[in-house]
Amino acid sequence: MHSSSLFTNPYAIEVLRTKKEELVDGINDPDHLLNWLIDNCIFTPEKKMVMSSYRTRTEKNSRVLDMLISQGERACRLFFYPCLKQVEPKLYSKMRKYVSEVNEKIGDARRQLVGYLLEKDKLWVENSSEQHQEKKGSPRRKKQERIKKKGKETQLSRAAKNRKNQAAVGIFDAVAKGYLSELEKTLKDNDINAQNSSSETLLHVAAANGHLTIMEYLITKGAKIDVKDKKGRTALHRAAEKGHSDAVKVLLRHGAYLYSLDTESKTPLNLAAQNNHTHVLKMLLKEEARSHRNQHNFLHMAALKDESGLANMLLKAGASTDGKDERGQTALSYAVSQGSENTAKVLLEAGGSVDSNVVERAFNSNHPNILKILLEYSRDLPSDIKESALFRAVQQNLHGLVAALIDRGTDINAYNEMQYTPLLLACERGKAESAEVLIEKGANFGIKTPASDTALHVAVQAGAASITNLLLHKGMDVNSTNEADETPLHVAALHNRGALVGLLVNAGAKINAVTKEFVTPLHIASQTGNTEVAQQLLHHKANANLKDKQSKSPLHFAAERGDKTMVEMLLNANADPNAQDKEKKTPLHVAAMRGYLSVVEVLLAKKGRFGAKDMDGCTPMHYAAIKGNTEMATILLTSGKYKNIDDRNIWRKTPLHIAAEYGHSDLINLLLSYRAAINALDSSKDTPLHCACRAGHFNAVNSLVNWSQGEKANLLAANSLKKTPLQVAECNKTENQVQIVTLLKKKMLITK
């Protein structure tokens, strides 16, 4: 025989704790599981009411597991079997597999979760399963009933059964009349929890009739306190319903459950209240306050069901308006979340506290009226709560609530954590109705964001045309600037708000307003590629040739982006294709440098100078050579009729020098075919061949030394350091050094 202590092995709890995360994730139908737990008497029906306040599946699952752990080993074992097995068979099998693997590791077969540890509850499990099958009307249950019925009829004759029924009726009659002596004579041990046709026990009847002595006698003999009749009512329900306060007191003293729900989801307190038994109601409240602090209470339940009349009675009987449950929620929190408007009014009139949590719940509920009720019925809301509510109302564009909050004295120009006022927030979010209310109620236009943007800047950025129009009609300065000296028109250009350009210009916006960096709205539109805005600005006569602090025109920015459409638009508006920036680069330089062939073509077609030199003496052709772009080089050379093929920069390098330095052999061949000077000398007396050797570009060297049409590369040319191309190659340790040296020696007939 095993010691009985083995039956209290905490392994089921350990498994539940260890695998909690997996169980929470794996239980797909928490409500179905909860029904099984209640049907099998692991949880009371009242738990279902408590669980209704949890919104998500994972929250419900987590709470169920926590409650099971708190109820101990037996509850945890019965959770796994039969409940989990019936509701989530796959998950149950997974848990069983886990347990068996653990058992194998520790070599202790007695620690089976589904097996040995259940032996103690085997009979209970069988009975529970039968009851559950009966509710489902299963064929198995019906078969068991037939067998059971047949067995009983073989043991009892019809006469014996009739005598038993008559005896039972006699016992119930004695209890109803309060005859203790007669009850003592006829009562047998197995009759103590007998039930009549309405499923009432003797204790039900005694409680309903207020027979205290009989109640005490039955309880001492082992009568069960919380048995339910056909209506789901306990003895406490019956005593409370009839107003028998002393009977209620006896039942409470012996542990009767306060929150038991009948089939209509009513507690004993509900029945006392609906029958105006105020004295019983007060007694139940007193017991709740004594033994159920910081738990889900009667007032919470009334709030969840919107039972305003009951809530009023409870408050008059002394219930605390601000009592919190296990989740830290008050009755008002639940009323607000559920949209229980009438109960919320009652609680607020009774002085229920409105904190940030309640306000948050109100905004998150789908009941807009509850917010107005909070305002109308709450007493002296703190200013920070009202201000927080105002910002939330603006965010959700609840303009009616915005007006109500302002009318209740909320600071219309309050700041949030981002240092925005409600008006700035409404403009940023494009909440036109709320913005209109704020403006009409006198919001201050002069307040700016931390970046010194006005409400008009913010509205334009959001593309809020109606708010922009409203602000302008109210007289807001259309040319106000932020810390970068940007006007709302600059903001429109940056955020491509083309539809607002005309609105701003017609209101007096300066079309060519400049920032600290001398940037105009057209510069910004060109730089960002916002063609719609650029088109609108040019339509309103924006100057296409103004320059910023770096002397760049809008055309420079368009060329820099390779934006052919923008370039064409600006050129058609008479933008100068040869404008120079601080480095004397023209838009053609910029386009060539970035390799934008189509832009180069457009600029050349509009008389862009192919031979223009920047401050380094480089032409667009030099930059095309850096890119190795043969197609672009061809277009540039053709435009200049090949006259600029040997243009030199300040280092006296020709495009051929550049092509050799960057190793572009195709471009070398192209330039040589157009008669570029193969032996041109730069300021260091380097030829293109010197440049190619120094950079280690074998293909470039090969193209130069093997060129045979016209002048040939001078293999013996000495630079300012008296070095030939071969000597330069030998001195520079490049990847292709050996190949280049070998090639040059062969060409110089030094080696075969």
Side-chain angles (χ1 to χ4, degrees):
M1 292 291 289
H2 298 296
S3 167
S4 61
S5 64
L6 289 172
F7 292 116
T8 61
N9 194 313
Y11 190 50
I13 296 178
E14 288 174 12
V15 172
L16 200 149
R17 283 175 175 156
T18 304
K19 308 296 282 185
K20 182 179 177 182
E21 188 175 332
E22 197 169 329
L23 288 164
V24 166
D25 187 56
I27 298 169
N28 296 306
D29 194 343
D31 292 330
H32 189 191
L33 178 62
L34 192 60
N35 288 337
W36 261 85
L37 293 167
I38 292 169
D39 290 345
N40 289 303
C41 301
I42 301 167
F43 285 166
T44 59
E46 291 70 38
K47 293 295 183 188
K48 201 165 187 177
M49 174 71 73
V50 175
M51 294 304 295
S52 67
S53 61
Y54 291 87
R55 295 191 177 186
T56 66
R57 178 180 67 86
T58 52
E59 281 181 338
K60 282 186 179 181
N61 289 340
S62 183
R63 182 60 178 145
V64 165
L65 299 183
D66 289 341
M67 289 191 294
L68 283 163
I69 290 171
S70 69
Q71 288 188 209
E73 164 66 17
R74 183 173 179 272
C76 293
R77 282 188 273 125
L78 297 176
F79 156 75
F80 283 109
Y81 181 86
C83 298
L84 188 66
K85 184 177 181 181
Q86 294 297 326
V87 177
E88 305 285 354
K90 289 184 179 178
L91 183 59
Y92 171 78
S93 299
K94 199 172 182 181
M95 292 297 111
R96 183 167 185 166
K97 182 174 181 292
Y98 164 72
V99 171
S100 64
E101 288 172 353
V102 173
N103 290 334
E104 288 176 11
K105 289 179 183 176
I106 64 175
D108 185 0
R110 293 173 301 171
R111 290 169 70 88
Q112 287 284 355
L113 176 64
V114 284
Y116 180 77
L117 288 179
L118 291 177
E119 286 300 316
K120 189 179 179 185
D121 294 303
K122 188 174 183 182
L123 181 60
W124 184 92
V125 170
E126 289 171 355
N127 292 338
S128 297
S129 298
E130 286 174 7
Q131 289 171 13
H132 198 78
Q133 291 296 335
E134 183 179 20
K135 291 182 181 181
K136 300 292 182 182
S138 69
R140 178 189 171 194
R141 173 61 191 164
K142 290 176 182 176
K143 183 178 179 181
Q144 289 174 341
E145 282 297 313
R146 286 197 297 272
I147 295 169
K148 190 175 180 182
K149 186 175 180 182
K150 185 177 179 181
K152 281 186 178 180
E153 288 184 352
T154 60
Q155 297 173 25
L156 294 172
S157 66
R158 292 183 182 276
K161 282 173 39 178
N162 288 335
R163 285 197 300 273
K164 186 174 181 180
N165 290 338
Q166 289 169 4
V169 170
I171 295 172
F172 279 94
D173 189 48
V175 170
K177 292 176 180 177
Y179 297 155
L180 178 60
S181 57
E182 188 176 332
L183 175 64
E184 289 175 330
K185 290 176 186 177
T186 56
L187 185 66
K188 296 178 182 178
D189 288 343
N190 59 351
D191 290 335
I192 196 69
N193 291 306
Q195 292 178 282
N196 63 16
S197 59
S198 297
S199 295
E200 296 173 313
T201 65
L202 297 173
L203 190 58
H204 278 95
V205 176
N209 289 279
H211 297 318
L212 305 183
T213 307
I214 291 180
M215 288 174 66
E216 293 281 11
Y217 174 77
L218 290 169
I219 292 169
T220 57
K221 288 292 184 179
K224 294 180 180 178
I225 300 291
D226 290 319
V227 176
K228 294 188 174 186
D229 63 15
K230 280 188 176 178
K231 292 183 178 180
R233 296 182 178 181
T234 63
L236 187 58
H237 277 94
R238 300 301 303 278
E241 180 185 26
K242 298 295 183 180
H244 298 310
S245 55
D246 289 335
V248 169
K249 193 180 294 183
V250 168
L251 290 165
L252 291 175
R253 189 171 70 247
H254 287 284
Y257 186 51
L258 273 177
Y259 304 114
S260 184
L261 297 177
D262 65 13
T263 53
E264 295 179 356
S265 295
K266 291 181 178 177
T267 65
L269 183 136
N270 287 110
L271 299 183
Q274 72 183 31
N275 289 287
N276 295 312
H277 299 314
T278 308
H279 58 298
V280 174
L281 186 144
K282 287 182 178 179
M283 184 182 293
L284 292 169
L285 276 180
K286 188 175 180 181
E287 174 62 20
E288 180 181 68
R290 184 188 69 80
S291 58
H292 292 80
R293 288 181 182 177
N294 301 321
Q295 292 185 27
H296 202 72
N297 60 33
F298 291 122
L299 194 58
H300 290 109
M301 294 177 186
L304 281 166
K305 295 181 181 179
D306 201 14
E307 294 176 331
S308 56
L310 176 59
N312 196 32
M313 289 182 71
L314 291 169
L315 291 166
K316 287 179 179 177
S320 170
T321 55
D322 294 325
K324 294 183 178 181
D325 64 7
E326 304 96 322
R327 301 176 68 193
Q329 301 302 324
T330 63
L332 183 58
S333 297
Y334 287 117
V336 165
S337 294
Q338 297 292 115
S340 303
E341 295 179 16
N342 295 324
T343 306
K345 291 176 186 177
V346 169
L347 291 165
L348 288 165
E349 287 177 332
S353 298
V354 179
D355 57 15
S356 56
N357 172 56
V358 171
V359 173
E360 181 73 18
R361 281 175 167 257
F363 277 106
N364 290 336
S365 74
N366 294 318
H367 308 281
N369 284 341
I370 207 78
L371 291 158
K372 292 182 180 178
I373 288 169
L374 283 179
L375 276 181
E376 187 178 345
Y377 288 87
S378 58
R379 300 174 185 172
D380 302 324
L381 272 176
S383 59
D384 61 327
I385 297 291
K386 289 193 291 186
E387 288 169 9
S388 174
L390 179 57
F391 282 104
R392 286 296 300 272
V394 169
Q395 281 181 316
Q396 295 184 21
N397 205 24
L398 302 172
H399 53 281
L401 183 61
V402 170
L405 281 161
I406 295 168
D407 291 341
R408 286 289 298 270
T410 309
D411 183 2
I412 196 171
N413 297 312
Y415 289 94
N416 65 8
E417 65 280 359
M418 301 298 293
Q419 295 302 298
Y420 272 49
T421 64
L423 178 58
L424 288 169
L425 182 64
C427 292
E428 182 185 62
R429 300 295 176 91
K431 307 300 184 183
E433 293 84 356
S434 293
E436 187 173 356
V437 168
L438 290 162
I439 291 168
E440 295 301 328
K441 294 283 184 183
N444 187 345
F445 289 176
I447 298 175
K448 297 184 177 184
T449 70
S452 294
D453 285 316
T454 66
L456 189 57
H457 283 88
V458 177
V460 169
Q461 179 175 331
S466 59
I467 299 177
T468 300
N469 197 33
L470 183 61
L471 290 168
L472 291 171
H473 277 296
K474 289 294 180 179
M476 196 158 191
D477 182 8
V478 71
N479 291 306
S480 55
T481 57
N482 58 20
E483 63 186 10
D485 279 350
E486 294 167 334
T487 66
L489 194 57
H490 284 94
V491 174
L494 179 62
H495 295 280
N496 202 25
R497 306 301 184 191
L500 298 183
V501 171
L503 187 65
L504 293 168
V505 172
N506 291 334
K510 295 176 182 177
I511 196 76
N512 294 313
V514 295
T515 67
K516 291 176 180 178
E517 301 296 320
F518 301 146
V519 173
T520 67
L522 188 57
H523 277 99
I524 292 175
S526 300
Q527 190 172 20
T528 53
N530 292 334
T531 51
E532 183 186 352
V533 173
Q535 196 169 29
Q536 288 291 320
L537 291 168
L538 291 169
H539 173 74
H540 288 284
K541 309 302 181 186
N543 189 335
N545 288 308
L546 291 179
K547 295 185 176 183
D548 67 6
K549 212 167 187 178
Q550 303 302 317
S551 292
K552 289 185 177 182
S553 69
L555 191 58
H556 279 91
F557 288 117
E560 201 171 74
R561 292 186 69 257
D563 191 338
K564 182 184 176 184
T565 303
M566 185 74 76
V567 167
E568 289 175 331
M569 189 187 300
L570 291 166
L571 288 170
N572 290 335
N574 297 317
D576 182 4
N578 296 305
Q580 292 182 314
D581 63 14
K582 274 196 170 181
E583 295 181 349
K584 293 188 177 181
K585 286 184 173 63
T586 65
L588 194 57
H589 280 96
V590 176
M593 187 185 302
R594 299 295 176 94
Y596 296 131
L597 179 62
S598 61
V599 174
V600 166
E601 289 176 323
V602 170
L603 289 166
L604 288 171
K606 287 289 185 176
K607 298 185 178 179
R609 292 203 304 273
F610 53 84
K613 292 191 174 185
D614 62 13
M615 66 191 310
D616 291 324
C618 290
T619 64
M621 185 63 205
H622 282 89
Y623 291 112
I626 291 173
K627 286 287 181 183
N629 193 325
T630 55
E631 193 174 357
M632 187 181 293
T634 301
I635 291 169
L636 287 167
L637 289 169
T638 304
S639 297
K641 297 180 180 178
Y642 312 109
K643 292 177 182 178
N644 59 322
I645 195 166
D646 289 323
D647 281 347
R648 297 171 182 270
N649 61 18
I650 60 172
W651 298 282
R652 296 195 56 75
K653 290 185 183 292
T654 66
L656 187 59
H657 281 94
I658 303 294
E661 276 183 359
Y662 284 87
H664 299 311
S665 55
D666 288 343
L667 183 56
I668 289 170
N669 291 329
L670 176 72
L671 291 169
L672 290 173
S673 68
Y674 288 131
R675 299 183 180 179
I678 195 169
N679 292 311
L681 300 178
D682 64 13
S683 57
S684 297
K685 293 189 177 180
D686 280 327
T687 64
L689 186 56
H690 282 91
C691 295
C693 290
R694 183 176 293 106
H697 297 304
F698 175 78
N699 289 335
V701 171
N702 192 45
S703 293
L704 288 164
V705 298
N706 285 313
W707 182 253
S708 58
Q709 300 174 28
E711 188 180 1
K712 296 182 180 179
N714 185 355
L715 301 179
L716 298 175
N719 61 17
S720 58
L721 296 176
K722 309 297 183 183
K723 291 185 181 293
T724 64
L726 176 59
Q727 290 171 325
V728 169
E730 288 174 333
C731 291
N732 287 281
K733 305 296 183 183
T734 61
E735 184 181 349
N736 298 317
Q737 181 195 32
V738 175
Q739 284 180 286
I740 292 171
V741 169
T742 302
L743 175 63
L744 290 172
K745 285 184 176 180
K746 283 183 179 179
K747 285 292 178 182
M748 295 172 72
L749 303 177
I750 297 173
T751 59
K752 291 184 180 180

